[in-house]
């Protein structure tokens, strides 16, 4: 429970920070370069690495472990196959719309939307975890 909460909260915060960074770049309040150092590019790279770390620490692993533990052994393989199929469909959908949406609206709204989704997931996961205790 602790791992899921920390990972999800960290993922939401890093996505929000990336959205804020892109928004700052668009409005000119964040410099793209400081001398010869690409500040914005390094900032985005660090935030994306932190997102991957938090996601791997929390929901990236916990969801599969919990799903495997909840399913009875007789249907575990089929259930996990359907879970993986659903995961791949959502991944393909996000991958297919990411660049067209980003080119139309910019990266900031897209990252803010992902941060909102992660925050909603955190709220639902925390609510269910506290209800179970």
């Amino acid at each position: 429970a602790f791992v899921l909460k920390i990972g999800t909260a960290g993922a939401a915060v890093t996505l929000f920070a990336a959205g804020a960074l892109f928004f700052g770049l668009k409005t000119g309040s964040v410099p793209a370069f400081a001398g010869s150092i690409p500040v914005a590019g390094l900032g985005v790279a660090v935030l994306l690495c932190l997102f991957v770390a938090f996601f791997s620490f929390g929901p990236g692993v916990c969801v599969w472990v919990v799903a495997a533990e909840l399913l009875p052994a007789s249907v575990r393989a089929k259930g996990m196959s359907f879970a993986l199929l659903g995961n791949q469909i959502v991944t393909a959908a996000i991958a297919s719309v990411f660049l067209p949406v980003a080119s139309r609206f910019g990266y900031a709204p897209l990252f803010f939307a992902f941060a909102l989704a992660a925050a909603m997931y955190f709220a639902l996961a925390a609510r269910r975890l506290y209800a179970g205790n």
Side-chain angles (χ1 to χ4, degrees):
F2 173 75
V3 172
L4 182 61
K5 285 189 252 183
I6 294 297
T8 306
V13 168
T14 56
L15 287 170
F16 180 79
L21 181 60
F22 280 117
F23 183 75
L25 283 170
K26 187 175 183 179
T27 60
S29 60
V30 173
F33 287 91
S36 63
I37 300 170
V39 175
L42 289 175
V44 170
V46 167
L47 287 170
L48 289 178
C49 288
L50 284 172
F51 168 76
V52 170
F54 278 114
F55 185 81
S56 298
F57 182 72
V61 174
C62 290
V63 171
W64 295 106
V65 171
V66 169
E69 293 295 324
L70 289 177
L71 295 171
S74 60
V75 295
R76 187 171 296 153
K78 289 180 185 174
M80 293 304 290
S81 297
F82 281 115
L84 182 59
L85 176 65
N87 184 300
Q88 291 298 313
I89 289 170
V90 170
T91 301
I94 290 172
S96 66
V97 299
F98 184 86
L99 289 177
V101 170
S103 67
R104 178 162 179 154
F105 299 108
Y107 288 104
L110 202 53
F111 276 91
F112 285 139
F114 287 144
L116 178 64
M120 288 174 27
Y121 181 80
F122 174 77
L124 289 173
R127 182 177 171 209
R128 290 187 134 268
L129 289 171
Y130 286 127
N133 291 335

